Amino acid sequence: MGGSKSKAIKKHAKVAFTDSELEILEVYFELLKCHDQINGYLTQKSMVQEFPENPDFSIKLYNWMRERCKNQQIDYTNFVITLELLLKDQQEYYLSDYKFRVLEKFELFALISLGCLENEKEAINRFQVSYSQGSTVIKELLNMYYFNKEVTNSQRNDLAARSVANSIFDQKASLPFNQFIGQAKQQLIYANKMCKLYFTKKFIQPHLKYGIPTLTSSSFILNDKILALLQMSSPDFNRIKQLDLKFSSSVGYDDLEHITEIIIESQQPLLFIFRNREDETQNDSFQQQIFGAYISIDQTIETHFIRKQQKDPMGILYNPNDQVSLYFGDEKSFLFSLQPKYQLFMSTFDMKSKQCFAYINSRAFNLKVPQPYGLGFGGDGKGNFRIWIDENLKGNATNRINNSCDQTYEMGYLLEPHIEFLNLTSIEIWGVLFEEKETRNSSQNKFRN
């Protein structure tokens, strides 16, 4: 039933928390007091030790909670009242200030991260968020994935947060709070979900599990924060348990042969990552771009001629005389840019979509068809690709980005508008392994079909 403090709260008002949750909160409050207190009230130091992944945020959280208290002091009752906003859904609120009832979890998190202590909705919406402040919000959001772990110097790289900020602000120095939130939620569709998971795990369910996919090998491009961004942006990526390195190269002449083998043999989605350098003679820290494609593969549906042929060499389930298609993938696929701007370009679902998710053709196929040899993504199905990587990967005159022809993915600039030809310096391909529960369900569905 909880301690005497919890009983006192329930005696005078309805609360959104269950008896067991109140009991956990009361114990947690006493733990915070053990870290530091003044006359039974929490201090800034009370919070810091419980937020090793986000120490600065813990101080801002304390200030925000104190501002919500009528006496500017955080006792147990005020602690419960403010946590109701962070932990419960809007329809469950009983104690919290009505002014904040309409705010979603990510909005509340952003207000705290920004140090915004405004109380009125109009004032909050007018609050100007600078580029630097916006980057901090995203950085502290990504730090949630390091739950209860101190962020090391090697993990303090803010490139991922700045890539999102570059996309949100688009060269503007500042944005009103509501515009900042709207732009951020377009990029990070699971930000609200992540904030609720974080606060729930922090305060009442320490055994709650969430995390980023593990890597079977080290990567020259991917890091924890990039994986966190992708996971917070895509429904399919949100289910990934592990990424298995299939291919890593600094770009060679015979790379397409290896890439072709991986694509034809793969029975799982594939993540393609490309690093491009605009001009080799300049400092690549300023000229480097990173982009890629996530290609979902449904084992029950095959469109690529060679993949179908391998599964059914006798031509029982398909007609070998059918028109040759060299495209593969399905509607869960998407393109993305990671640097200098973070953006996702999902597949379109309208009737005009050509469904040219990904393309592979090799001389080894020995097909007598007038189609180019290389790797492609997106396009119009007529030989024009959003991303085209020629069989001669080192020939940068033939590797191209085309932002005007795509009838498969959402439009927009994958790289800066002036970049047309690619000078690839690194390629990584990762196989995707989903959570076991999802894998079992997929197997069951396959047998049912």
Side-chain angles (χ1 to χ4, degrees):
M1 291 293 293
S4 58
K5 295 177 182 178
S6 297
K7 290 177 181 176
I9 293 175
K10 294 194 71 174
K11 183 177 180 181
H12 295 97
K14 286 185 176 181
V15 293
F17 297 105
T18 64
D19 290 339
S20 60
E21 288 172 340
L22 284 172
E23 186 173 352
I24 293 169
L25 289 176
E26 193 165 339
V27 171
Y28 194 89
F29 184 79
E30 293 301 317
L31 172 65
L32 294 176
K33 283 169 57 180
C34 288
H35 297 323
D36 196 57
Q37 61 161 312
I38 298 177
N39 298 324
Y41 299 107
L42 300 186
T43 70
Q44 283 188 354
K45 292 181 181 178
S46 304
M47 295 279 203
V48 173
Q49 292 187 48
E50 295 303 312
F51 287 79
E53 74 284 350
N54 260 329
D56 292 341
F57 177 80
S58 73
I59 295 172
K60 291 180 282 191
L61 175 60
Y62 167 82
N63 292 335
W64 184 83
M65 294 177 79
R66 189 183 63 176
E67 185 67 22
R68 308 278 77 76
C69 303
K70 293 180 181 179
N71 58 359
Q72 295 283 291
Q73 292 177 315
I74 306 175
D75 59 13
Y76 178 67
T77 299
N78 287 325
F79 183 69
V80 171
I81 289 172
T82 50
L83 284 184
E84 191 180 71
L85 283 168
L86 301 178
L87 297 172
K88 294 297 179 178
D89 294 327
Q90 294 171 358
Q91 66 271 20
E92 299 176 295
Y93 294 162
Y94 286 111
L95 304 172
S96 302
D97 189 334
Y98 74 92
K99 296 172 185 175
F100 293 92
R101 287 172 178 262
V102 296
L103 297 180
E104 296 179 324
K105 297 295 179 276
F106 175 59
E107 291 177 280
L108 288 168
F109 171 82
L111 281 176
I112 297 167
S113 178
L114 291 165
C116 176
L117 301 179
E118 298 287 354
N119 288 315
E120 301 295 335
K121 178 79 173 169
E122 293 76 14
I124 290 172
N125 286 336
R126 289 196 304 270
F127 183 84
Q128 288 292 310
V129 181
S130 70
Y131 174 90
S132 175
Q133 289 175 313
S135 297
T136 298
V137 172
I138 304 302
K139 180 183 73 173
E140 292 181 340
L141 183 69
L142 297 178
N143 283 348
M144 291 178 177
Y145 285 92
Y146 296 105
F147 190 87
N148 276 358
K149 297 177 183 176
E150 187 174 349
V151 180
T152 64
N153 288 333
S154 63
Q155 296 166 330
R156 294 184 189 279
N157 190 319
D158 294 338
L159 278 176
R162 291 205 300 270
S163 293
V164 179
N166 289 342
S167 180
I168 292 172
F169 286 88
D170 196 24
Q171 299 186 329
K172 298 181 181 70
S174 65
L175 289 172
F177 177 78
N178 59 344
Q179 289 186 29
F180 168 76
I181 290 295
Q183 292 287 337
K185 284 165 61 178
Q186 282 185 16
Q187 297 290 335
L188 308 171
I189 61 175
Y190 289 109
N192 274 323
K193 177 183 176 182
M194 188 62 221
C195 288
K196 185 171 181 181
L197 283 173
Y198 179 67
F199 288 125
T200 301
K201 183 175 175 67
K202 183 67 71 176
F203 291 107
I204 57 176
Q205 291 186 37
H207 301 297
L208 188 67
K209 291 184 178 181
Y210 66 76
I212 57 175
T214 59
L215 303 180
T216 59
S217 182
S218 59
S219 170
F220 293 106
I221 302 175
L222 292 178
N223 58 43
D224 290 349
K225 293 191 175 182
I226 287 175
L227 292 171
L229 281 180
L230 290 169
Q231 192 170 62
M232 223 181 292
S233 307
S234 160
D236 226 31
F237 212 90
N238 201 250
R239 302 185 294 116
I240 296 175
K241 177 183 179 182
Q242 187 178 76
L243 290 171
D244 180 27
L245 184 62
K246 301 291 186 182
F247 179 82
S248 179
S249 172
S250 56
V251 182
Y253 288 102
D254 60 348
D255 281 355
L256 189 67
E257 294 178 21
H258 301 301
I259 293 172
T260 301
E261 290 176 9
I262 291 166
I263 291 172
I264 296 304
E265 298 295 333
S266 180
Q267 302 303 314
Q268 57 195 172
L270 293 170
L271 179 67
F272 297 81
I273 310 283
F274 304 100
R275 178 186 278 141
N276 185 68
R277 192 164 60 199
E278 200 173 342
D279 185 349
E280 286 187 310
T281 65
Q282 299 186 41
N283 187 332
D284 65 356
S285 64
F286 295 99
Q287 301 297 321
Q288 179 175 276
Q289 301 98 24
I290 299 173
F291 64 100
Y294 171 82
I295 303 300
S296 175
I297 295 176
D298 186 341
Q299 297 182 36
T300 65
I301 303 172
E302 286 292 358
T303 54
H304 194 282
F305 185 83
I306 301 299
R307 285 176 59 89
K308 287 196 295 185
Q309 193 177 64
Q310 281 214 342
K311 283 188 174 182
D312 184 23
M314 302 300 293
I316 297 172
L317 301 179
Y318 80 104
N319 187 345
N321 297 319
D322 286 346
Q323 183 178 357
V324 173
S325 171
L326 297 173
Y327 290 93
F328 63 101
D330 63 35
E331 69 280 354
K332 295 178 184 177
S333 305
F334 59 87
L335 306 180
F336 57 87
S337 62
L338 296 175
Q339 194 178 328
K341 287 184 178 181
Y342 178 72
Q343 297 177 96
L344 260 66
F345 303 91
M346 309 304 290
S347 61
T348 55
F349 289 93
D350 57 35
M351 296 296 293
K352 296 180 181 179
S353 174
K354 297 298 184 182
Q355 299 193 335
C356 303
F357 306 109
Y359 169 102
I360 187 71
N361 190 16
S362 167
R363 295 182 188 275
F365 293 165
N366 198 27
L367 295 174
K368 305 263 193 282
V369 291
Q371 298 191 48
Y373 298 111
L375 175 65
F377 301 92
D380 58 7
K382 300 177 181 178
N384 299 308
F385 299 91
R386 179 77 162 272
I387 302 170
W388 175 249
I389 298 168
D390 194 73
E391 61 176 338
N392 178 12
L393 269 70
K394 292 182 76 70
N396 63 347
T398 51
N399 300 329
R400 307 184 66 167
I401 287 277
N402 188 334
N403 290 294
S404 60
C405 71
D406 205 344
Q407 295 181 36
T408 300
Y409 297 105
E410 295 171 324
M411 293 303 295
Y413 290 105
L414 266 166
L415 304 181
E416 293 301 308
H418 66 276
I419 297 176
E420 179 181 359
F421 300 105
L422 297 175
N423 179 38
L424 299 179
T425 59
S426 296
I427 300 174
E428 290 183 1
I429 303 176
W430 298 81
V432 169
L433 299 174
F434 291 116
E435 294 286 349
E436 290 181 9
K437 180 179 178 181
E438 297 294 336
T439 304
R440 284 199 299 270
N441 288 343
S442 298
S443 299
Q444 290 169 0
N445 291 337
K446 180 179 177 182
F447 288 126
R448 288 194 192 104
N449 292 334

